[in-house]
Amino acid sequence: MLAKEDSMKKFILNADDLAKSEFHNKAVLDGYNKGLLLSTSIMANMPFYDEAINLVVKTCPNLSVGVHLNIIEGKSLIPHLNLLVDNNDNFNNGYLKLLLKSQDKNFLLQVEKEFRAQIEKCLKDFTPTHLDSHVHVHSIPEIFKIVAKLAVEYNIKQVRTQAEIPYFTKEDKYNPINFIKVLLLNYFSIQNKVLIKKNNLQTNDYLIGVGYTGMMNSNTLVEGLRKIKKDCVVEALIHPKKYPDDKKDSHSIEFEITQDLMTKDIIETLGFKITNYKENMI
């Protein structure tokens, strides 16, 4: 959401999953050095967290780094959260199970403990500019309330919401399940943006990356931006990896977006200022 005195079309490309692997870390570093990728979100509970801090966060001074809150994958930072993890402290709930559990007060208390631990771990190493989450779990309204509370408490002004204008391209396949995701997340975003305003927080106006989850490329990104006509903040999320060989998958294709200077030129031609959450803070 833009301040009136700061009105323009702004574009933020954010790499989720920093610290998940060495390939994620290298992708963010090289994407930043190319000039299009100026924002990322780090997973505090992942095994390559320390490498991400030393290789990426400490060497990229203009990179906006947020906390990618995670109760989906890997081990919890707080042990024995029985409603979130198995006997080995590995997270064991998918999005739908978390949604079903989100009316349970004890479950929400455990979510807050884990999120708090992840934020505090990050605060020891850097000042987060924004909060988002793995698999959009914080879009769940009861969980979003926790995230908004922690954002205020830790003075993190910006929290991702997931309002996406549905769109289709002629060149790219579209998974109908993703369309259902877009509708659900749009519905949740309407509720969550009320809380954003109430807590004097900031959020992106639109998101690109849900409808083409796992299928993001330069074309799907640009076609999504073409749907945006008014002054606003648009965030596009990708999950890039840079492999040491020529392996091709959805992650390496998303990495290619960060290296595509023609795409960067098109984005600017469409009237967007390429920025990040650090520059967008007011």
Side-chain angles (χ1 to χ4, degrees):
M1 293 179 180
L2 287 164
K4 290 181 179 179
E5 67 273 12
D6 199 28
S7 294
M8 65 173 62
K9 292 165 74 175
K10 294 184 177 181
F11 172 70
I12 297 170
L13 182 64
N14 192 88
D16 288 9
D17 296 353
L18 180 65
K20 191 174 180 180
S21 75
E22 58 187 313
F23 308 125
H24 288 86
N25 293 348
K26 191 66 167 63
V28 173
L29 179 64
D30 287 5
Y32 170 83
N33 287 332
K34 203 71 172 184
L36 180 56
L37 182 67
L38 301 177
S39 185
T40 189
S41 303
I42 194 168
M43 303 174 81
N45 72 316
M46 284 288 134
F48 288 83
Y49 174 85
D50 288 338
E51 180 192 271
I53 293 296
N54 293 319
L55 180 69
V56 180
V57 178
K58 290 184 178 180
T59 66
C60 302
N62 296 318
L63 184 68
S64 168
V65 184
V67 183
H68 200 50
L69 298 166
N70 174 27
I71 49 174
I72 288 280
E73 188 174 353
K75 287 186 177 292
S76 62
L77 296 183
I78 302 294
H80 312 311
L81 298 176
N82 64 303
L83 297 176
L84 297 179
V85 300
D86 61 19
N87 291 334
N88 296 313
D89 288 326
N90 291 305
F91 293 122
N92 64 349
N93 295 284
Y95 185 94
L96 290 179
K97 284 184 70 175
L98 294 171
L99 177 59
L100 292 173
K101 288 183 177 182
S102 65
Q103 300 301 314
D104 183 332
K105 291 183 179 180
N106 291 324
F107 164 79
L108 295 174
L109 287 173
Q110 292 188 11
V111 171
E112 181 173 339
K113 286 181 181 179
E114 179 63 24
F115 281 177
R116 187 180 294 278
Q118 292 180 17
I119 292 170
E120 290 183 353
K121 179 177 179 178
C122 291
L123 282 168
K124 293 177 181 178
D125 294 306
F126 66 97
T127 301
T129 56
H130 59 285
L131 298 175
D132 50 44
S133 65
H134 197 41
V135 196
H136 304 296
V137 296
H138 82 291
S139 66
I140 298 171
E142 291 301 319
I143 296 179
F144 193 87
K145 291 177 183 178
I146 295 170
V147 174
K149 171 187 173 182
L150 295 175
V152 171
E153 181 176 339
Y154 291 107
N155 196 32
I156 302 171
K157 294 295 186 181
Q158 299 173 107
V159 181
R160 175 190 287 165
T161 51
Q162 295 87 1
E164 180 168 299
I165 299 174
Y167 69 97
F168 309 94
T169 78
K170 295 179 180 179
E171 298 85 357
D172 304 282
K173 294 181 180 179
Y174 192 89
N175 185 343
I177 294 176
N178 287 344
F179 184 69
I180 296 172
K181 292 179 185 176
V182 169
L183 294 179
L184 178 64
L185 293 177
N186 279 351
Y187 174 67
F188 286 160
S189 291
I190 292 171
Q191 303 175 56
N192 295 337
K193 285 187 176 183
V194 173
L195 205 58
I196 287 285
K197 186 175 182 179
K198 180 178 179 181
N199 285 281
N200 198 30
L201 297 169
Q202 292 177 258
T203 191
N204 51 300
D205 296 283
Y206 296 106
L207 187 70
I208 294 174
V210 177
Y212 281 93
T213 298
M215 297 174 284
M216 287 290 287
N217 56 43
S218 293
N219 186 60
T220 55
L221 171 57
V222 168
E223 289 305 307
L225 287 175
R226 290 189 194 279
K227 301 295 182 182
I228 311 295
K229 306 299 183 183
K230 63 181 182 179
D231 291 344
C232 60
V233 177
V234 182
E235 178 187 352
L237 66 92
I238 56 175
H239 304 85
K241 291 184 186 180
K242 183 179 182 184
Y243 301 108
D245 52 26
D246 293 327
K247 179 179 177 180
K248 282 283 185 181
D249 63 9
S250 63
H251 298 290
S252 64
I253 292 171
E254 292 184 15
F255 169 68
E256 290 172 2
I257 297 172
T258 72
Q259 306 298 291
D260 190 344
L261 295 181
M262 184 177 295
T263 293
K264 185 174 183 286
D265 289 342
I266 293 172
I267 292 169
E268 292 174 337
T269 299
L270 290 172
F272 287 92
K273 176 186 177 183
I274 298 172
T275 184
N276 63 18
Y277 282 109
K278 183 181 291 188
E279 292 180 358
N280 193 54
M281 287 191 295
I282 57 174

